[in-house]
Amino acid sequence: MRHTSKIPVAPSCIPLQRLFGPAAQRSFTTTPLSAAQGPSLLGSSGNPNDASPPSTYFQRPSLPANTIIRFVPQQTAWVVERMGKYHKILQPGLAILIPFLDRIAYVKSLKEAAMEIPSQSAITADNVTLELDGVLYTRVFDAYKASYGVEDAEYAISQLAQTTMRSEIGRLTLDHVLRERAALNTNITEAINEAARDWGVVCLRYEIRDIHAPDGVVAAMHRQVTAERSKRAEILDSEGQRQSAINIAEGRKQSVILASEALKSEQINIASGDAEAILVRAQATARGIDAVAQSMRDGQESARGAVSLSVAEKYVEAFGNLAKQGTAVVVPGNVGDMS
């Protein structure tokens, strides 16, 4: 009796899942070329030209396949896992992977990304409900933390931005919210950076895009603005009238002062002229008397006769004037005596 031993023969095709586990089967999944061109803004990977967001936050798009030789795009970080464990981060350029063992687990974009924060309700410190939305600018600075520190960085930062905005709005009144938007944006950015530091993502800036207040509040604000502007207009009008009256009174005052100073100067000039005229006449009279006296001293008898003749002429002229001015004339007894 012949015994024949049966040698087990390996099947011609053994499923990869039995040899290397589920990871190997995923590594050989056919991936379109467009899926490996670049990652999404903060997601794992995908076509950069496809702007449509995923249906859910935790839905991971397709990843680049392990084709042994890969080219990593600029400003992109590919996180590689070897046998299910983190191995390294591929830098831009040529990359060589080991088949079956290495798997591209995450693809992170290192560019600055703009994230739209949806509209949300927030209550201010004076109990006014506002509808706000904004834009958040972020950038991945640590691909390892962004991959393993949080399940979905974009979703986490979006939720954090909304809760932080509500918290900051709750500390301010409506007037301060409208006046201090820059300070509010800075506070929200600092709060997000403090929480997102362990996620490998930095918030560069946050901008509040629109602020919508209730219709009643908006109408009240319009009335307040109208009343404030009317008040300013009335104040300016009254200030203008007051300044106009002051200017008119000041002009009249200056006119009176100038007129009095002119009259004073005129009177001073007239008095000075009269005084000088009197002085000149007195000096002329004195010089005339001196000249007459000198002539009398020099001429003696003839000079005295001339003086007596001049006095007699004036004497006769004076009597003639008296006769013209009145009907009664008093004649002294010694008319012929000129002395």
Side-chain angles (χ1 to χ4, degrees), residues 8-43:
V9 179
S12 59
C13 181
I14 300 177
L16 295 175
Q17 186 174 3
R18 293 177 56 187
L19 291 176
F20 299 102
Q25 186 177 8
R26 286 198 300 270
S27 300
F28 283 89
T29 302
T30 303
T31 303
L33 181 60
S34 60
Q37 294 299 322
S40 62
L41 295 180
L42 281 177

Side-chain angles (χ1 to χ4, degrees), residues 57-112:
Y57 276 101
F58 298 102
Q59 178 181 354
R60 296 173 58 184
S62 58
L63 298 170
N66 183 356
T67 58
I68 303 177
I69 297 177
R70 297 301 305 229
F71 295 96
V72 182
Q74 184 66 31
Q75 287 296 98
T76 305
W78 288 9
V79 180
V80 177
E81 292 181 353
R82 176 167 293 178
M83 293 183 294
K85 183 180 178 182
Y86 168 77
H87 177 57
K88 64 179 179 179
I89 297 177
L90 299 180
Q91 300 299 324
L94 176 64
I96 300 177
L97 303 175
I98 300 177
F100 309 117
L101 301 182
D102 293 341
R103 181 177 70 92
I104 302 173
Y106 300 95
V107 175
K108 298 297 179 181
S109 174
L110 304 181
K111 303 176 184 178
E112 181 177 348

Side-chain angles (χ1 to χ4, degrees), residues 16-339:
L16 295 175
Q17 186 174 3
R18 293 177 56 187
L19 291 176
F20 299 102
Q25 186 177 8
R26 286 198 300 270
S27 300
F28 283 89
T29 302
T30 303
T31 303
L33 181 60
S34 60
Q37 294 299 322
S40 62
L41 295 180
L42 281 177
S44 298
S45 69
N47 189 353
N49 298 323
D50 188 6
S52 59
S55 58
T56 60
Y57 276 101
F58 298 102
Q59 178 181 354
R60 296 173 58 184
S62 58
L63 298 170
N66 183 356
T67 58
I68 303 177
I69 297 177
R70 297 301 305 229
F71 295 96
V72 182
Q74 184 66 31
Q75 287 296 98
T76 305
W78 288 9
V79 180
V80 177
E81 292 181 353
R82 176 167 293 178
M83 293 183 294
K85 183 180 178 182
Y86 168 77
H87 177 57
K88 64 179 179 179
I89 297 177
L90 299 180
Q91 300 299 324
L94 176 64
I96 300 177
L97 303 175
I98 300 177
F100 309 117
L101 301 182
D102 293 341
R103 181 177 70 92
I104 302 173
Y106 300 95
V107 175
K108 298 297 179 181
S109 174
L110 304 181
K111 303 176 184 178
E112 181 177 348
M115 182 190 309
E116 181 178 358
I117 305 300
S119 178
Q120 59 177 332
S121 298
I123 301 177
T124 62
D126 49 355
N127 297 324
V128 177
T129 302
L130 301 177
E131 292 287 336
L132 304 98
D133 58 358
V135 180
L136 184 65
Y137 298 88
T138 60
R139 183 171 58 84
V140 175
F141 69 90
D142 191 332
Y144 177 84
K145 291 182 179 180
S147 302
Y148 298 102
V150 62
E151 178 65 28
D152 192 307
E154 183 176 354
Y155 175 76
I157 291 178
S158 175
Q159 296 300 311
L160 180 60
Q162 295 184 38
T163 55
T164 305
M165 180 188 295
R166 292 193 189 98
S167 176
E168 293 294 333
I169 292 294
R171 300 177 184 178
L172 303 174
T173 61
L174 177 60
D175 294 337
H176 286 83
V177 171
L178 298 178
R179 286 198 306 262
E180 301 179 1
R181 294 181 63 170
L184 183 61
N185 294 337
T186 302
N187 294 337
I188 294 176
T189 302
E190 292 177 354
I192 294 176
N193 284 330
E194 184 177 357
R197 188 179 299 110
D198 296 334
W199 301 342
V201 180
V202 60
C203 176
L204 301 178
R205 57 192 177 278
Y206 180 86
E207 298 292 340
I208 296 177
R209 187 165 55 186
D210 294 320
I211 299 178
H212 301 283
D215 295 337
V217 175
V218 174
M221 293 172 62
H222 288 170
R223 291 195 301 270
Q224 180 181 1
V225 171
T226 303
E228 184 68 23
R229 293 189 179 275
S230 299
K231 175 184 175 182
R232 292 180 182 176
E234 293 178 357
I235 291 175
L236 291 176
D237 190 14
S238 62
E239 288 289 338
Q241 294 178 0
R242 174 175 173 269
Q243 190 64 36
S244 176
I246 292 174
N247 292 340
I248 293 174
E250 187 69 24
R252 291 177 179 175
K253 175 184 175 182
Q254 294 295 331
S255 176
V256 172
I257 292 174
L258 293 176
S260 63
E261 290 181 352
L263 181 59
K264 175 184 176 182
S265 299
E266 182 181 2
Q267 292 177 353
I268 291 174
N269 292 335
I270 292 174
S272 298
D274 293 343
E276 290 182 0
I278 293 171
L279 179 60
V280 170
R281 285 196 296 268
Q283 291 176 353
T285 304
R287 285 196 297 269
I289 294 172
D290 290 340
V292 172
Q294 184 66 30
S295 297
M296 291 178 65
R297 284 195 299 268
D298 295 340
Q300 294 181 355
E301 293 297 333
S302 59
R304 289 193 184 97
V307 171
S308 298
L309 178 60
S310 176
V311 171
E313 290 176 354
K314 291 182 179 180
Y315 184 76
V316 173
E317 184 181 358
F319 271 104
N321 291 332
L322 289 176
K324 291 179 182 180
Q325 294 178 357
T327 57
V329 179
V330 178
V331 180
N334 51 351
V335 178
D337 188 3
M338 299 298 175
S339 61

